[in-house]
Amino acid sequence: MDILETDAYDRRQRRNSSCVLFLFLLPFFISSGFYFYLWIPQTAPSLLAAMVKCSPVLSLAALVLLYNGAWSFWGVAGGLMLSACGDCCLIWPHLFLHGMTAFGLAHLLYSLSFLSDRYSSLSSSSTSFFVSVSLWLTGAGAYVYLLPYLQKRSDAAILTPAVGVYVLLIIAMATLATRTRRTLTILGSLSFVFSDLALSLQAFAVIDPTEEGRAFVMATYYLAQMLIAVGDIKARSDFGEGVGKRKRM
């Protein structure tokens, strides 16, 4: 095949792969829709509520494992599983710290994944530098703003430093994501930051919790996890294609 035929073949392959990936994402879309349809009140924590809430993220973890193999357990797939554990914990208010710990570990696994060879080499462009600085300023500003509200809580001695560590982990994850040059990964990480910021404002009584606020938190959260998962699958696919092309040269 000449170059034009090869390019056309590659485009067809990518298009077919995208269609298959969309079909595999249907469990995520269905379970997410089921969650919003049931919209179980936060005042009624139960195992059913936990299962409904974490099922979309578990479906994404299964998808990443299917595409990328068992090694992804120590990367994005493992982060998704830890996030599902965090989802379950947050159903019960007294397990808030446990849930935050699970999400913090998830961000750590995401960060390690973004540092792997499958993602583009870290760039030092002016754009990535500006975004990184903006993220760290946002994280620091949010923590300083939340500090008086954290100190009013009965568990302030544990919660205050714990939130600080969590902010470091999620901002570090988002910073590494923005430097991968992968649109899905970048948008996913930023959506996660927005979701957690909105959640913290309600969880720590900065603003009154509302159904609209809860809907925003969950919509941006599910969107973030989906983008990160699909971004990881794409990164693995592109890396494999790149290796194959180098071997054929």
Side-chain angles (χ1 to χ4, degrees), residues 18-32 56 59-60 63 67 225-227 229-230 233:
S18 297
C19 291
V20 172
L21 179 57
F22 177 79
L23 291 176
F24 280 129
L25 279 170
L26 286 179
F28 167 77
F29 293 124
I30 292 172
S31 56
S32 298
S59 71
L60 291 175
L63 180 62
Y67 268 85
Q225 298 285 34
M226 183 195 71
L227 292 174
V230 175
I233 292 171

Side-chain angles (χ1 to χ4, degrees), residues 127-151:
T127 301
S128 64
F129 177 78
F130 173 77
V131 174
S132 298
V133 171
S134 299
L135 282 168
W136 284 102
L137 289 176
T138 300
Y143 182 70
V144 171
Y145 184 75
L146 290 173
L147 199 55
Y149 298 92
L150 294 172
Q151 293 174 341

Side-chain angles (χ1 to χ4, degrees), residues 90 93-102 155 158-159 162-163:
L90 294 185
H94 66 281
L95 294 179
F96 183 85
L97 273 173
H98 299 77
M100 189 168 63
T101 300
D155 55 353
I158 298 176
L159 189 62
V163 170

